[in-house]
Each structure stands twice: as structure tokens, then as C-alpha cells.
């Protein structure tokens, strides 16, 4: 029996036992202390390292309450900033903690703060740092009725709007993985572009037609996303009792967990495997089944489009048989873009990156690292000099004189004033 057959059998057996035993599908953790221990990102990972950090809440148009953190260097002050605002946007099954999981010399969030940037940390709907919804509970099916399309057009757009209003400045975006999908989709919207100074994309994705990750391809081939929906799941939470047990069973003689990550992301050259237990204290975060299905649609169809509901619902939703594509050519040529991609990345394949470049009207600055896999761009022990130094030089070249790092510049709106904003991001 091959590994994937074992995976499917384990998957089906667990859900059969689930329905026979009335087990919990709501995403409740097997660790009863989880909810209380993850009370805020600032308190958990940032302030213990000596950095100034404040928590902010942003409400999206469809009622989700997102967490934003604002971070300043150990020698700085949240009301006095030396550099441009930068929004860090995480990837799939991650949240804002992903930018702070290694040492202060290796983690991009700390590095940017030490370089004097005004660092803002995004957390999309459904992640543990964010704050739910104005009327829906996480146990409601409707709470999980979204994909990366909503993350781009609602979550990212609203976070940018909040930062732009608070700082009175255009924003640098840094995205990784799904964070780049969100960024590229959002940047096709003119109202979003007006708030963005430049974007730096790590493992950039808009097309997924040439994904080579073997486990991902097998899941797509057997329509695992549809199987999960048929079983009544709408949330994907790998900290739930059911999915924790499933992963443990896969690692119990059926799948080599040392290769498990590589089978999904590609071989990572510089990932610090000795810190895996620490990473797993924070990752993974929940996402929606609809989001996974949207990603699988991209792989099957080779498109960068809105969610495909099928012909009839597409007609009702979009007024056409097929969902509209996100037009990368509409991203202004004048918007500076920087991209870094790797030869061992099984998700952001070189061929698909090239497809993205051909669709863009601009010529992004590129950094290619032949031995880098998908996770290396976030957690490589050498990323500081291999990637982040290049990215920071790119940002420095675009800074306006009033953001000269040699002179402290008072933020036009202080954090005290920012806290006057209501949850909708409007002045109260």
C-alpha cells in the first residue's frame, strides 16, 4: 500500500469513527490550555524580545475582526518612526507569528523593526490572533464561507486602508506564499494600489498549474477538497482532536514526517529542523475548506481567477459561465515590485513564476535562489543575508526624503490616536 492510499484510509476511518462517536468537528483543540496561552501576539512573541508592540483591530466589510500588530525596535518608540510602514502578510495555515519564529537576527519582523521600519503584522480571518466576527461564531458554517479571494479583496484591502489612514503614508507590502496571491489579486484593484508604495513577494504565486509537490498533486487528483466538504467540514483546523489524531497516525510508520514537509513544499535547504517543536507551538493556524478548494481549482484549471461555483451559480454570482480572472496586466507599470523565488520550491514553480512575469506590465526586480524551497524564504537560517538584505535595499531605494533613517520622524497619527478608531477602521 502506498503512502497516499494509507492517508485516504486513515482519513476515512477517522471520520467514520467521528460520526459514530459524536466527536467534535468545531476545531476545539486537544490542548485545553491553548486558547488562554495564545492571548496576543505582542505578549507571546514580540514584547518578550524587548520590542515595542501594540494591538489593533480592523473590521472588514463583511464583518470579520482582524488583528494587526504594530512593532517598533528595541530602541524605538511606537509613536516615533524612522521608516516607511511595512505590512507583513503571512501564508496559508499561518498567521502573523510566522515572521517572528526565529531569533531577532533571523526573523524578518524583528529585522525590519531594527532597520527602523514601521512594521505592521497582518492576521487574516480565522487565525487564532484575529477576533472572530461581529455576528457569526466560529462554529457556524457561514463563518468559514470564504477563500483567498475574500482575504485579498476584504482582509488585505482593509488592513492597508487602516495603516494608510493611521500613518498618512503609502505602505510597503511583504507577502509570502498565499500572502503573495492575496497581494497580486488585491493590486489589480485601483483603490488598493493607491495605498501601496511597493510590494516584495517571497515565493510569488498567481498561477499553480505546474505545482510539483507529490502529496499536493495526489490530493488534487482524488478531489480531497470535495471529499472533506461531503463529510460536512468547513473549517480546516489541524489542532482539532480529529485532525491532530489523523496527522499523528500518518506519522506513525506510514509517512516519514521528516519528509512530510518536503512532500508538500519541496526540499528546503536551510530550514532549522531542530526548532520544529517550537514552530508547532504556533503553527498551523486554521483555514477554510473553501480556501483549499479554491487553491485546488487553480492547480486543476491553470487559472488565476475568482472562485468557481459551477456554471449555474457562476451565472448568478458573476453573470457569466466562468469566474472572472484577476488581470495582472492591470497592476500599474509604475508600481515597484520585487520578487524572490527558489529552484526547489514545489509550490511556486519556476514555470508558473515566469507565467506571472509575462502577465505583468512591469519588470519586477528578481532574486533567484537555486537551492531554496518554499519554507526557506520564511525560516531559512541564512535568509537575512540571502534574501532580506536585498529586499531592504529595494525598499531603501524607494523611500522619500522625509523617511530618511538618519532622522526620526514623528508619525502623523500616533498610536494613542489610532486607538480612537472603532473596529471598522473609522474615527470614533
Amino acid at each position: 500500500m502506498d503512502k497516499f492510499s494509507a492517508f485516504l484510509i486513515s482519513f476515512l476511518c477517522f471520520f467514520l469513527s467521528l460520526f459514530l462517536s459524536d466527536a467534535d468537528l468545531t476545531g476545539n483543540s486537544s490542548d485545553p490550555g491553548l486558547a488562554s496561552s495564545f492571548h496576543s501576539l505582542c505578549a507571546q512573541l514580540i514584547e518578550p524580545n524587548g520590542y515595542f508592540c501594540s494591538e489593533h483591530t480592523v473590521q472588514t466589510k463583511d464583518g470579520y475582526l482582524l488583528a494587526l500588530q504594530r512593532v517598533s525596535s528595541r530602541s524605538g518608540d511606537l509613536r516615533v518612526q524612522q521608516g516607511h510602514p511595512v505590512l507583513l502578510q503571512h501564508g496559508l495555515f499561518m498567521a502573523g507569528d510566522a515572521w517572528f519564529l526565529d531569533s531577532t537576527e533571523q526573523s524578518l519582523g524583528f529585522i525590519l523593526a531594527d532597520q527602523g521600519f514601521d512594521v505592521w503584522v497582518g492576521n487574516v480571518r480565522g487565525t487564532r490572533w484575529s477576533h472572530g466576527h461581529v455576528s457569526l461564531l466560529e462554529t457556524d458554517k457561514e463563518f468559514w464561507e470564504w477563500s483567498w479571494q475574500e482575504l485579498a479583496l476584504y482582509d488585505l484591502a482593509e488592513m492597508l486602508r487602516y495603516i494608510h489612514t493611521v500613518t498618512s503614508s503609502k505602505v510597503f507590502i511583504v507577502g509570502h506564499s498565499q500572502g503573495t496571491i492575496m497581494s497580486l489579486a488585491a493590486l489589480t484593484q485601483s483603490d488598493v494600489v493607491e495605498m501601496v508604495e511597493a510590494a516584495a513577494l517571497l515565493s510569488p504565486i498567481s498561477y499553480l498549474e505546474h505545482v510539483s509537490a507529490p502529496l499536493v498533486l495526489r490530493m488534487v487528483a482524488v478531489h480531497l477538497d470535495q471529499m472533506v466538504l461531503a463529510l460536512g467540514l468547513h473549517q480546516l483546523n489541524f489542532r482539532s482532536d480529529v485532525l491532530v489524531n489523523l496527522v499523528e497516525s500518518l506519522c506513525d510508520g506510514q509517512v516519514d514526517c521528516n519528509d512530510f514537509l518536503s512532500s508538500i513544499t519541496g526540499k528546503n535547504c536551510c530550514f532549522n529542523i531542530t526548532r520544529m517543536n517550537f514552530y508547532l507551538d504556533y503553527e498551523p493556524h486554521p483555514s477554510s475548506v473553501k480556501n483549499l478548494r479554491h487553491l485546488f481549482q487553480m492547480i486543476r484549471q491553470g487559472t488565476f481567477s475568482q472562485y468557481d461555483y459551477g456554471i449555474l451559480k457562476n451565472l448568478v454570482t458573476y453573470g457569466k459561465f466562468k469566474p472572472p480572472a484577476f488581470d495582472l496586466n492591470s497592476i500599474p507599470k509604475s508600481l515597484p515590485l520585487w520578487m524572490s523565488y527558489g529552484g526547489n520550491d514545489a509550490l511556486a514553480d519556476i514555470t508558473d513564476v515566469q507565467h506571472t512575469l509575462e502577465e505583468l506590465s512591469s519588470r519586477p526586480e528578481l532574486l533567484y535562489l537555486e537551492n531554496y524551497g518554499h519554507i526557506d524564504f520564511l525560516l531559512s537560517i541564512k535568509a537575512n543575508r540571502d534574501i532580506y538584505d536585498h529586499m531592504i535595499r529595494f525598499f531603501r531605494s524607494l523611500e522619500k526624503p522625509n523617511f530618511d533613517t538618519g532622522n526620526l520622524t514623528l508619525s502623523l497619527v500616533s498610536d494613542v490616536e489610532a486607538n480612537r478608531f472603532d473596529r471598522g477602521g473609522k474615527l470614533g
Side-chain angles (χ1 to χ4, degrees):
M1 182 184 296
D2 65 21
K3 292 178 181 179
F4 192 67
S5 297
F7 171 85
L8 288 179
I9 291 171
S10 298
F11 184 89
L12 293 173
C13 286
F14 270 108
F15 279 99
L16 179 60
S17 65
L18 169 75
F19 288 111
L20 291 175
S21 63
D22 294 325
D24 183 24
L25 260 181
T26 62
N28 292 339
S29 170
S30 58
D31 178 2
L34 183 67
S36 60
S37 65
F38 284 87
H39 55 282
S40 84
L41 176 53
C42 283
Q44 283 291 306
L45 276 177
I46 299 171
E47 291 172 344
N49 283 286
Y51 290 75
F52 295 93
C53 185
S54 63
E55 296 278 348
H56 301 254
T57 300
V58 177
Q59 181 177 318
T60 66
K61 291 179 180 178
D62 53 349
Y64 289 87
L65 303 173
L66 313 178
L68 268 177
Q69 291 80 31
R70 191 182 194 184
V71 184
S72 178
S73 72
R74 289 169 284 192
S75 59
D77 187 298
L78 285 168
R79 290 166 295 179
V80 180
Q81 298 299 339
Q82 295 171 262
H84 229 91
V86 181
L87 172 61
L88 302 179
Q89 186 52 60
H90 62 81
L92 180 65
F93 297 126
M94 290 185 167
D97 46 50
W99 306 102
F100 302 94
L101 291 177
D102 282 323
S103 71
T104 56
E105 291 77 28
Q106 294 172 327
S107 300
L108 182 58
F110 293 131
I111 292 168
L112 288 172
D114 284 337
Q115 287 288 324
F117 289 95
D118 183 4
V119 178
W120 294 78
V121 186
N123 302 270
V124 301
R125 62 186 67 187
T127 56
R128 290 189 300 279
W129 303 121
S130 284
H131 309 299
H133 190 275
V134 293
S135 60
L136 298 172
L137 300 176
E138 291 188 16
T139 51
D140 294 333
K141 168 186 172 182
E142 293 78 12
F143 183 93
W144 301 98
E145 188 59 30
W146 49 265
S147 75
W148 60 258
Q149 178 177 322
E150 285 75 23
L151 302 186
L153 301 182
Y154 295 162
D155 292 21
L156 182 57
E158 205 60 52
M159 288 187 284
L160 285 168
R161 191 168 291 111
Y162 182 90
I163 298 167
H164 182 256
T165 303
V166 169
T167 64
S168 297
S169 173
K170 289 187 175 184
V171 183
F172 290 143
I173 299 176
V174 178
H176 173 251
S177 188
Q178 180 182 259
T180 71
I181 300 177
M182 292 167 56
S183 298
L184 289 168
L187 290 172
T188 65
Q189 312 299 304
S190 59
D191 60 323
V192 172
V193 171
E194 291 175 355
M195 301 182 286
V196 177
E197 188 72 45
L201 308 178
L202 304 169
S203 297
I205 297 173
S206 63
Y207 292 97
L208 286 168
E209 188 176 7
H210 295 88
V211 163
S212 58
L215 188 54
V216 173
L217 290 176
R218 289 186 177 184
M219 290 179 178
V220 172
V222 300
H223 294 267
L224 189 65
D225 50 329
Q226 296 180 34
M227 292 171 56
V228 173
L229 280 175
L231 289 166
L233 273 180
H234 298 278
Q235 175 190 175
L236 286 176
N237 185 355
F238 287 96
R239 289 183 182 272
S240 67
D241 292 338
V242 172
L243 293 182
V244 165
N245 290 335
L246 175 59
V247 171
E248 286 179 352
S249 74
L250 289 173
C251 296
D252 187 17
Q254 297 181 33
V255 174
D256 182 355
C257 284
N258 290 327
D259 294 328
F260 191 75
L261 188 63
S262 296
S263 69
I264 298 173
T265 68
K267 183 176 176 56
N268 298 284
C269 70
C270 313
F271 175 70
N272 188 353
I273 194 68
T274 65
R275 289 182 63 81
M276 179 63 79
N277 287 338
F278 178 77
Y279 299 150
L280 291 176
D281 284 342
Y282 293 92
E283 318 302 337
H285 286 254
S287 189
S288 72
V289 175
K290 183 176 180 181
N291 190 32
L292 185 69
R293 192 172 189 186
H294 197 175
L295 293 166
F296 282 11
Q297 288 176 358
M298 296 168 68
I299 297 172
R300 294 185 186 112
Q301 300 171 8
T303 56
F304 184 45
S305 301
Q306 297 187 40
Y307 187 84
D308 190 347
Y309 292 99
I311 291 175
L312 292 179
K313 193 169 180 181
N314 284 344
L315 278 172
V316 173
T317 305
Y318 307 121
K320 53 184 68 178
F321 293 122
K322 294 183 178 181
F326 287 99
D327 181 13
L328 291 173
N329 190 59
S330 68
I331 299 176
K333 189 175 184 178
S334 58
L335 181 70
L337 298 175
W338 181 95
M339 297 181 179
S340 186
Y341 61 108
N344 284 331
D345 195 330
L347 296 176
D349 184 85
I350 294 174
T351 304
D352 289 328
V353 173
Q354 184 60 41
H355 188 176
T356 300
L357 294 173
E358 291 169 358
E359 294 282 327
L360 292 168
S361 60
S362 63
R363 292 180 175 271
E365 289 190 28
L366 301 175
L367 176 64
Y368 173 67
L369 297 166
E370 186 172 1
N371 63 334
Y372 264 54
H374 198 72
I375 300 299
D376 285 322
F377 290 90
L378 188 66
L379 296 174
S380 166
I381 59 175
K382 304 189 297 179
N384 192 352
R385 61 177 181 272
D386 288 348
I387 305 171
Y388 304 153
D389 284 351
H390 297 271
M391 179 197 299
I392 290 168
R393 282 198 294 271
F394 167 72
F395 285 151
R396 293 283 189 230
S397 70
L398 300 170
E399 285 185 320
K400 302 296 189 295
N402 60 310
F403 284 105
D404 185 352
T405 57
N407 299 289
L408 293 176
T409 304
L410 183 66
S411 292
L412 296 177
V413 181
S414 72
D415 261 32
V416 174
E417 291 170 312
N419 288 330
R420 293 174 53 219
F421 280 69
D422 67 14
R423 285 182 167 179
K426 298 179 176 62
L427 282 169

